Amino acid sequence: MKFRVYRYDPESGQKPHMQDYDIETFRGMMLRDALKAIKAQDETFAFRHSCGEGVCGSDGVNVNGTNKLACVTPIADLKEPVEVRPFPGRPVIRDLVVDMTQFYEQYKAIEPWLKRKEPTPEQEILQSPADRDKLDGLYECIMCGCCSTFCPSFWWNPEKFLGPQALLSAWRFLADSRDQAKDERLDFLEGPYKLFRCHSIMNCVEVCPKGLNPTKAIGHIKELMLKKAV
Amino acid sequence: MSLNRRNFDALIIGAGGAGLNAAIQLANADLRVAVVSKVFPTRSHTVAAQGGVNAALANVLPDNWHWHMFDTVKGSDYLGDQDAIEFMCREAIPTVYELEHNGVPFSRLDNGKIYQRPFGGQSQNFGGDQAARTCAAADRTGHAILHTLYQQNLRAKTHFFDEFFALDLVRDAEGVVCGALVLEIETGEPLLIEAKCTLLATGGCGQVFRTTSNAHINTGDGMAMALRAGVPLMDMEFYQFHPTGIAGKGMLITEGVRGEGGYLLNGRGERFMERYAPKAKDLASRDVVARSIVTEVKEGRGAGPKGDHVLLKLDHLGESVIAKRLPGIRESARIFAGVDPVVEPIPVFPTAHYVMGGIPTDRFGRVVMPVGSGEEAMPGLYAAGECACASVHGANRLGGNSLLDILVFGRLAGKNIIDYVKDNPFHRDIDPSSLDYAVGRLKRWDQHGKGPSVHETREKLTRCMEDHAGVFRTEEIMAEGLEKMKEIRAEMPDVRLTDHSRVFNTARIEALELENLLDVGMALAASALYRQESRGAHSRPDYPKRDDVNWLKHTLYFLEGDRLDYKPVRTKPLTVESFPPKERVY
């Protein structure tokens, strides 16, 4: 199977270019397997990967124009030649490895930790199954970055717009019955950029490898803000 | 050579559950703590733990820590140290509550308490009815815990060195550990991190095997660093094969499937576990279930066109239970096995999963070295998590005790390091020559010329380990394996890289990982060959019985001269009566 892969090595003095590889395939082969096969042929090729089962979130790449997690992408579903590029909109360090600093900074900005005002009980903080269900579809985020780096609003304003991943995480804490900092979380999200640059383009929903829906989460935050304002 | 330097009160190498739970304690105590990780912290392999973490909360069925302790001692085939086990089972309860307070989204019972499911090897009342001791966040417990711990470290302002690869420990002239030489992957530049105390929390070494549930990063780095610093590795022959990896691929299917009521079938449609473990059946201990599966397949009762696996049936649980409790493995089964477990069984076979052995520590997380007839703590060095051996798992770990081990001993190591730093408040002078070895290891890969590649050498190594250190081991098979490992070691100086660049050179990282895999693989192969009995996960058809007279002792492997030594099992618990060895039936 033919692969065209983005290559860039800052030490080589060469401009970024696409390089072709021919890879022998097997039944059930995933894109990560193909990238590993390329690496076995040509050890100068760099990409991130680890768990190989879609939970660590290391191997997000752009494939045939869309963001995917390589280890859960069967090559049988891909059109040949398979074009593999780094995430769009992020500075490239080398080959498929991009600098994700901005993405992580936006995650940190929403203060993604449970906040409690009351003293903690001796046992667990109680939570009803119905309240716990509200976290499903939120806590599973693996921070691969497929969504935020495929979001036009994030491309245009990566410093000011939090992006779908951070906003999904913001809603994960707002939706948690145990969290006691709702007002401060909502206040932080005020203003024209952090949240409101989302124009419901829904690229995030389309590319999330875990089937999560940041657009919906953003909608919930907006509703809550409206309620608070009224 | 001028080196960039940073200094901290404490250095933690590894950002999984053990490292991050230690870091929180230290950062909360206002110590300057650095966490070095070769991947962004939430990519650490704790993220892949599925089924849950054991603690006798008694939320579902009656339970107490003492029963948990009995099950763990029995599960360990009596090789676990009972003081450490008592400590872990007692501490499990506050540790899990603390996680919950920190935000872990555990699944819930109707009364609002943490959901607990039955897991293998669990009993009420010292071997009675099945217990339900495993606290779960659906089947994504490790992910839920790791992300929460990372979040709490962000709050506590821990210093993270993301994508830095640890090369070697650094010691002063007296042998006190005073930090580590690390490599910034992005720039390819070495960095010396000085610390008053260092914690190794680098996780497992499953990549020594070809088929494994472990991630690409699980290359035993901390264990190999310890070996090179003269520390032995303990009980490395005890390597757990998880009964239910996806056949031919190795991805994990949690024991929680059987905990929720799923069961195994052979090619004839028989519930074969009834024959091997009449009482506990599919929820027998992992070593027992793994051996049963391999035996079924060897004796021609496997499933599939090649008869090379068995089937894990769970469709009878119904779609709603599967969606609620086991959504992650449904996704994995669909993607990697092409089956939807709601309608058809998952093809499974044992997969290399977890190393019971590791860097020997006492129950305070201090790394210990044999001295005379006793042992002494190595100053400035702690270890916790899968890379360490406390020893709470002995010859076989129970499901749900791994997350527990990393969290309890990570937390404890953190607390003890606070005291250590109080007693040792100054940085020590590093002998520059102590860096030579580590710098030399790095430089060695700049050599040009022809030679075997890292990739092909790694394949040779992992195939050797798979063929010669698997579920069933005989003298002949293991001796041949050890010889092959020695051949690979002899070839190592000829291995060459073709990529000598600096920036994000993953080939160089993989070369350094290969060196680690080789050291750890040797420890495993050598320790296995010389233990002439069957105990827990170490199963020898040529010595089918456990031999408490000669072998109720821990193995120690030293890198220098591939030397082996042994030390006694600590059978005396902290406050309760000892559990003497008994025949182990499920």
Side-chain angles (χ1 to χ4, degrees), chain A residues 79 101 147:
Chain A
K79 225 180 89 194
T101 308
C147 60

mmCIF file with all atom_site columns, all heavy atoms in Angstrom, chain A residues 79 101 147:
data_model
loop_
_atom_site.group_PDB
_atom_site.id
_atom_site.type_symbol
_atom_site.label_atom_id
_atom_site.label_alt_id
_atom_site.label_comp_id
_atom_site.label_asym_id
_atom_site.label_entity_id
_atom_site.label_seq_id
_atom_site.pdbx_PDB_ins_code
_atom_site.Cartn_x
_atom_site.Cartn_y
_atom_site.Cartn_z
_atom_site.occupancy
_atom_site.B_iso_or_equiv
_atom_site.pdbx_formal_charge
_atom_site.auth_seq_id
_atom_site.auth_comp_id
_atom_site.auth_asym_id
_atom_site.auth_atom_id
_atom_site.pdbx_PDB_model_num
ATOM 1  N N   . LYS A 1 79  ? -8.152  5.823  1.675  1.00 0.00 ? 79  LYS A N   1
ATOM 2  C CA  . LYS A 1 79  ? -7.938  5.872  0.224  1.00 0.00 ? 79  LYS A CA  1
ATOM 3  C C   . LYS A 1 79  ? -6.450  5.980  -0.080 1.00 0.00 ? 79  LYS A C   1
ATOM 4  O O   . LYS A 1 79  ? -5.719  6.692  0.578  1.00 0.00 ? 79  LYS A O   1
ATOM 5  C CB  . LYS A 1 79  ? -8.688  7.085  -0.346 1.00 0.00 ? 79  LYS A CB  1
ATOM 6  C CG  . LYS A 1 79  ? -9.468  6.776  -1.607 1.00 0.00 ? 79  LYS A CG  1
ATOM 7  C CD  . LYS A 1 79  ? -10.187 8.001  -2.136 1.00 0.00 ? 79  LYS A CD  1
ATOM 8  C CE  . LYS A 1 79  ? -9.287  8.770  -3.086 1.00 0.00 ? 79  LYS A CE  1
ATOM 9  N NZ  . LYS A 1 79  ? -9.778  10.117 -3.371 1.00 0.00 ? 79  LYS A NZ  1
ATOM 10 N N   . THR A 1 101 ? 2.161   22.717 22.982 1.00 0.00 ? 101 THR A N   1
ATOM 11 C CA  . THR A 1 101 ? 2.185   23.541 24.199 1.00 0.00 ? 101 THR A CA  1
ATOM 12 C C   . THR A 1 101 ? 0.913   24.377 24.358 1.00 0.00 ? 101 THR A C   1
ATOM 13 O O   . THR A 1 101 ? 0.304   24.397 25.429 1.00 0.00 ? 101 THR A O   1
ATOM 14 C CB  . THR A 1 101 ? 3.414   24.480 24.171 1.00 0.00 ? 101 THR A CB  1
ATOM 15 O OG1 . THR A 1 101 ? 4.560   23.679 23.905 1.00 0.00 ? 101 THR A OG1 1
ATOM 16 C CG2 . THR A 1 101 ? 3.575   25.220 25.482 1.00 0.00 ? 101 THR A CG2 1
ATOM 17 N N   . CYS A 1 147 ? -9.405  17.248 18.071 1.00 0.00 ? 147 CYS A N   1
ATOM 18 C CA  . CYS A 1 147 ? -10.491 18.226 17.936 1.00 0.00 ? 147 CYS A CA  1
ATOM 19 C C   . CYS A 1 147 ? -9.951  19.650 17.817 1.00 0.00 ? 147 CYS A C   1
ATOM 20 O O   . CYS A 1 147 ? -10.231 20.347 16.834 1.00 0.00 ? 147 CYS A O   1
ATOM 21 C CB  . CYS A 1 147 ? -11.480 18.105 19.093 1.00 0.00 ? 147 CYS A CB  1
ATOM 22 S SG  . CYS A 1 147 ? -10.766 18.393 20.735 1.00 0.00 ? 147 CYS A SG  1
#
